[in-house]
Amino acid sequence: MSTDTEVQPSNYHHQKPPFYRDATVVKWLFQVGALALVVFALWFLSSQARDNLSARNISTGFDFLSIDPGINLSEGIDTRPATGGRALWVGMVNTIRLATAGIFFATVIGLFIGLARLSNNWVVNKLGSVFVETLRNIPLLVQILLYGAILANLGDLQFDSGWDNWVIWSNKGLSVPRVFIADGFYQWAVFMCIGALAARWMYNQRSGLHDKTGENTHPGLGSFAVLTIFGIVGWFIHPIFGWVGNIFGAISDGISKVPEEVLQLVLSAVAISIAANWIRGFLASRRTPGGSARLTDDDKFRIIFAGVGSVLAILVVFVVWPGLSSWIINSSSDLFEVLENKFGDGRTGGPFGVDRPEVVKPGKFEKYGPSGLTMSLGFAAVFFGIVLYTAAFIAEIVRGGILAVPKGQIEAANSLGMKRSTALRTVILPQALRVIMPPLGNQYLNLTKNTSLAIAVGFSDLVQVGQTVGNQTGKNLSVFAIWMLFYLACSLTISVAVNFFNVRLRIVER
Amino acid sequence: MSTETTNENRSDMIVCENVDKWFGDFQALKGVSATIAEQEVVVVLGPSGSGKSTWIRCINRLEAHQQGTIIVDGVELTNDLRNIEKIRSEVGMVFQQFNLFPHISVLDNVTLAPKWVRKMPKAAAEKKAEELLEMVGIPEQAAKYPGQLSGGQQQRVAIARALAMEPRIMLFDEPTSALDPEMIKEVLDVMKDLAHGGMTMMVVTHEMGFAREVADRIIFMESGEIVESGTPEHFFTNPTEDRTKLFLSQIL
């Protein structure tokens, strides 16, 4: 019976392996299993922790967020916060201020030091090396304490401290004039939006002329000039846009009249259309020139997951969190109402104002008040610490990124007769940035997390405020949770921003 | 040195007199003197390490020579940056490793220098680039990135990029040494067309067939010196110097 035992090629092809050897099934089983294991572990650990905490009378919970903690903060948007939540918010704002200013200045200084270390000029080169080698080899905490000690040795604040009320330095901190948004700003901003459109038109027009004739038509300069003219003219005649507030008011009224059910339906429709769009795109990506490819089990799983996801989103909107849509309606209506109030009669002043620092009485000046921008002693110590320390690392990253561009690229640019500056801008920097961006993002994360060392000099960042609040209320565990969530949110925001640039800089390979 | 074949009617494009070049203690060029006329195709041969590449890299000052004179198209190469940029924009160079710019498309590779150095209008530069890509046989690859092309295609783009500056002289530094054998021909064909079109060319290569067929003159170098210089017939059939005979016996 030899014909029966012969393997038929077509049958052989369709034989399915048993499920425990099927790569797709095994893969999904492992993933679901791993997820279940993690969820179980978290549940187990948290229930153990809860039992132990209650046995020792350590309380958790977030009630303290709405209770007066009875503390004073050294600086921030509110130095006598009414609730624990408000106190932590002040700390977060201080941390974000420190991190944002730190990232900006560390990048600028790091870029220059990095370029200096590549310079052929012996003096510049060695100065850069000394900066890097000194600052990156001293622990950040030591540096912060050192800068704090140096600043504390500046003289006491007197009426004549510093330079004629433009810059004031003393052991209370450093103070410089403050530029602030005045009451005409929003009307002026409408002017500038129109100016931006005009500048864009100017740019396109000038560069089109360049493409046609080859003459240098300075498109960038032309559009800048247009924007400047709009800015200057708008400074004086911006009140003509006072009526724009009525539009925002109308939008605000319109939004507040939207019934909750309508928004719920719209959100559901958005969820379904996102899922449907994704599925359609996914199916299109599986299509080959010869027709639709057969979907694997894996593909089917993904499609089902997309569908289930949209159904879950609809459940959230209607059942789990029915207040979501009214919250969206109310807050967007409020947002436009806030904008409405930024326009109107009486707003005839300039868009910006300047305040010089003012010594109210010796030994004291206003903090973030109406007079001047003041860097307190603590802020200055942490700021100089994280900026100089991180700049040393960024300098090395910039240097490494530029050195990573192959020598042949520079030779090719040179052999085409390009000037050094042209070669740097069009050939070297675009390729160096690709190498620089990922480690640069890491430095931004480090800088943001290092701001927590502010506690060493008593600056009211989130960690310092949180510790005080925790001590006052005894809810240390809850404060820990808020700390972790806050730093996680900061880090994820930075990562998303950096990844956005990474994707744009990627080089196309085959 | 024997039988110079310089055509008296043509002007001198490249004049080198007693050019010396050291890398630290190592002397890479020892008193190199040669004159290359307009529309002449010169192939430089020699064992590796003989200074061939160093010499042609001195001609557009990718390397600076330390003694002697190099005059290219009537302009002497000194430390004057303006002269260097002027000469570089009139001397095209093709590298062994192509050195295309990987972050921009093929079309942008070819139009970059005309736009920034020659200040050519974008539309005109692109039209010119399309003509050049047509000439080197890959008009359909303009929108792709260098990483998506084969080695032979990349080298042809590199030739188009150099030609886009409308150079009066083309330097080739071992243009086929990094290519698979089946791709060498497509690059050599482009170079032959260029030679027949009257371009002044200096080619460092190991392709003896190309040298025999296309060269007006062959210069043989060893240890940083020019050993022998002459027509292909003279060089391949009747070399005078012993070192040339030894080299030919090893490679032929």
Side-chain angles (χ1 to χ4, degrees):
Chain A
M1 302 286 278
S2 62
T3 49
D4 283 358
T5 52
E6 256 178 48
V7 175
Q8 300 280 321
S10 58
N11 285 346
Y12 183 75
H13 187 73
H14 286 297
Q15 247 174 21
K16 276 203 107 170
F19 76 92
Y20 55 85
R21 271 194 351 234
D22 185 325
T24 311
V25 174
V26 168
K27 188 177 107 185
W28 281 92
L29 275 181
F30 265 105
Q31 298 204 13
V32 172
L35 191 66
L37 209 64
V38 171
V39 170
F40 173 76
L42 283 178
W43 170 82
F44 178 76
L45 289 174
S46 64
S47 67
Q48 287 293 308
R50 201 161 44 229
D51 293 351
N52 287 336
L53 288 171
S54 59
R56 295 183 192 190
N57 266 335
I58 300 175
S59 59
T60 55
F62 293 90
D63 309 339
F64 72 93
L65 290 179
S66 46
I67 296 171
D68 187 350
I71 57 172
N72 283 309
L73 302 180
S74 63
E75 65 180 288
I77 49 174
D78 187 353
T79 49
R80 179 61 189 89
T83 63
R86 177 77 177 163
L88 290 176
W89 172 242
V90 174
M92 288 180 195
V93 171
N94 280 342
T95 294
I96 292 171
R97 272 180 179 162
L98 193 52
T100 318
I103 284 174
F104 176 78
F105 284 100
T107 309
V108 172
I109 296 175
L111 184 68
F112 276 102
I113 302 288
L115 291 175
R117 289 204 72 187
L118 290 168
S119 165
N120 292 328
N121 183 321
W122 189 87
V123 178
V124 171
N125 189 319
K126 289 298 167 226
L127 282 176
S129 301
V130 169
F131 179 95
V132 169
E133 293 305 335
T134 322
L135 290 168
R136 73 170 175 180
N137 289 320
I138 300 174
L140 178 53
L141 183 57
V142 175
Q143 287 192 41
I144 290 175
L145 292 173
L146 175 70
Y147 303 138
I150 292 171
L151 291 166
N153 277 311
L154 293 173
D156 289 334
L157 183 65
Q158 302 296 342
F159 280 120
D160 59 349
S161 293
W163 179 56
D164 195 26
N165 280 18
W166 282 102
V167 185
I168 292 178
W169 58 89
S170 74
N171 58 12
K172 293 286 173 193
L174 313 171
S175 199
V176 292
R178 187 176 69 106
V179 177
F180 61 92
I181 289 173
D183 60 356
F185 177 79
Y186 289 86
Q187 284 161 178
W188 183 75
V190 173
F191 228 98
M192 290 308 280
C193 287
I194 298 169
L197 287 178
R200 197 186 150 75
W201 176 84
M202 185 67 159
Y203 187 91
N204 289 341
Q205 209 257 340
R206 298 303 285 177
S207 55
L209 199 65
H210 167 79
D211 288 348
K212 232 179 277 164
T213 61
E215 276 168 46
N216 198 347
T217 51
H218 303 289
L221 210 63
S223 54
F224 181 73
V226 169
L227 205 59
T228 312
I229 291 169
F230 267 85
I232 293 170
V233 174
W235 191 289
F236 298 105
I237 64 167
H238 66 77
I240 62 166
F241 280 119
W243 51 269
V244 174
N246 298 336
I247 297 177
F248 287 119
I251 294 173
S252 169
D253 289 346
I255 290 176
S256 67
K257 289 202 183 80
V258 173
E260 214 174 291
E261 293 76 21
V262 172
L263 187 66
Q264 282 176 331
L265 286 176
V266 169
L267 288 176
S268 312
V270 167
I272 290 174
S273 70
I274 287 174
N277 245 332
W278 185 86
I279 292 172
R280 194 151 30 132
F282 184 73
L283 287 177
S285 74
R286 285 292 181 275
R287 202 164 292 146
T288 56
S292 287
R294 214 165 64 85
L295 291 175
T296 61
D297 291 352
D298 202 75
D299 295 342
K300 285 175 192 156
F301 270 120
R302 288 175 192 223
I303 291 172
I304 292 168
F305 265 53
V308 170
S310 70
V311 171
L312 281 179
I314 293 170
L315 274 179
V316 167
V317 170
F318 278 104
V319 182
V320 181
W321 190 9
L324 175 67
S325 31
S326 62
W327 179 79
I328 292 176
I329 289 172
N330 289 339
S331 46
S332 35
S333 170
D334 287 351
L335 181 72
F336 281 103
E337 204 178 308
V338 167
L339 279 176
E340 180 189 3
N341 295 333
K342 299 287 184 189
F343 292 88
D345 298 334
R347 293 184 171 268
T348 49
F352 298 103
V354 179
D355 265 337
R356 283 157 70 181
E358 193 181 350
V359 182
V360 181
K361 64 176 188 198
K364 182 177 171 46
F365 47 36
E366 296 293 327
K367 292 168 181 128
Y368 300 122
S371 54
L373 179 67
T374 302
M375 241 189 194
S376 70
L377 191 77
F379 185 98
V382 186
F383 175 77
F384 289 129
I386 58 172
V387 163
L388 296 176
Y389 182 75
T390 314
F393 286 94
I394 290 179
E396 286 299 90
I397 291 169
V398 169
R399 187 170 77 107
I402 288 175
L403 288 178
V405 177
K407 205 168 159 246
Q409 294 289 310
I410 299 155
E411 286 182 351
N414 282 343
S415 77
L416 289 165
M418 286 189 194
K419 285 200 182 77
R420 258 175 88 117
S421 57
T422 311
L424 195 71
R425 196 174 55 222
T426 60
V427 175
I428 299 167
L429 276 185
Q431 295 186 62
L433 270 181
R434 183 172 49 107
V435 183
I436 290 171
M437 273 319 272
L440 189 63
N442 284 343
Q443 289 305 322
Y444 290 167
L445 294 179
N446 280 345
L447 186 148
T448 306
K449 289 178 287 184
N450 283 343
T451 56
S452 58
L453 287 172
I455 200 168
V457 283
F459 173 67
S460 304
D461 82 319
L462 177 63
V463 173
Q464 203 254 5
V465 174
Q467 191 148 45
T468 317
V469 171
N471 287 341
Q472 292 286 319
T473 59
K475 308 283 172 146
N476 284 318
L477 277 177
S478 313
V479 170
F480 263 106
I482 290 171
W483 281 345
M484 292 195 289
L485 279 177
F486 173 76
Y487 285 109
L488 184 68
C490 287
S491 298
L492 288 178
T493 310
I494 293 170
S495 298
V496 167
V498 169
N499 273 339
F500 173 76
F501 285 107
N502 276 343
V503 170
R504 291 197 54 180
L505 289 168
R506 199 156 48 197
I507 281 180
V508 180
E509 304 266 348
R510 60 186 65 233
Chain B
M1 301 277 279
S2 61
T3 55
E4 286 286 340
T5 56
T6 315
N7 193 324
E8 297 297 331
N9 305 333
R10 295 169 181 169
S11 60
D12 294 340
M13 287 299 277
I14 304 171
V15 180
C16 297
E17 272 170 31
N18 290 317
V19 174
D20 288 330
K21 165 81 187 164
W22 284 269
F23 290 110
D25 291 338
F26 174 72
Q27 188 167 7
L29 296 178
K30 298 171 187 164
V32 171
S33 297
T35 302
I36 289 148
E38 198 179 347
Q39 300 200 344
E40 195 178 11
V41 177
V42 173
V43 170
V44 185
L45 296 178
S48 54
S50 59
K52 322 181 286 290
S53 289
T54 307
W55 183 29
I56 76 163
R57 286 162 63 82
C58 280
I59 288 168
N60 66 352
R61 208 164 175 96
L62 288 182
E63 306 283 355
H65 61 286
Q66 284 130 342
Q67 275 177 32
T69 321
I70 300 179
I71 298 169
V72 179
D73 200 12
V75 181
E76 188 181 352
L77 274 174
T78 57
N79 267 332
D80 186 339
L81 285 174
R82 199 197 299 171
N83 282 356
I84 293 173
E85 274 158 22
K86 182 175 186 315
I87 284 172
R88 280 176 176 167
S89 64
E90 297 199 352
V91 179
M93 179 132 187
V94 176
F95 300 87
Q96 183 179 354
Q97 297 295 342
F98 329 137
N99 292 347
L100 292 179
F101 306 132
H103 60 295
I104 52 180
S105 71
V106 165
L107 189 71
D108 289 340
N109 261 280
V110 181
T111 57
L112 189 69
K115 276 193 296 194
W116 285 99
V117 181
R118 289 261 187 265
K119 311 283 183 208
M120 232 168 144
K122 191 175 159 208
E126 283 179 357
K127 188 160 170 288
K128 171 103 188 151
E130 277 158 14
E131 284 167 15
L132 286 168
L133 289 175
E134 182 88 47
M135 193 200 99
V136 298
I138 40 174
E140 72 285 356
Q141 311 284 13
K144 286 196 182 169
Y145 283 78
Q148 297 171 304
L149 303 186
S150 73
Q153 289 172 329
Q154 288 193 47
Q155 192 60 296
R156 285 185 283 160
V157 172
I159 294 174
R161 178 177 70 176
L163 290 176
M165 289 293 287
E166 297 178 340
R168 305 195 61 191
I169 303 166
M170 284 286 283
L171 307 175
F172 292 84
D173 188 3
E174 306 206 21
T176 56
S177 298
L179 294 178
D180 291 340
E182 73 268 27
M183 292 172 182
I184 291 178
K185 186 177 173 296
E186 62 191 42
V187 173
L188 290 182
D189 285 345
V190 170
M191 289 167 64
K192 279 177 201 164
D193 289 346
L194 211 52
H196 294 144
M199 176 68 76
T200 311
M201 286 165 64
M202 248 182 110
V203 185
V204 172
T205 186
H206 297 291
E207 295 296 323
M208 295 303 151
F210 177 84
R212 199 192 290 259
E213 188 187 338
V214 183
D216 295 320
R217 182 154 56 114
I218 291 177
I219 294 176
F220 176 68
M221 287 183 81
E222 195 183 282
S223 312
E225 291 171 304
I226 293 179
V227 175
E228 186 157 0
S229 165
T231 60
E233 305 95 75
H234 162 83
F235 183 81
F236 284 109
T237 55
N238 190 23
T240 25
E241 301 287 324
D242 287 342
R243 282 189 283 179
T244 316
K245 288 175 189 160
L246 181 66
F247 175 74
L248 288 172
S249 72
Q250 280 164 342
I251 58 154
L252 289 180

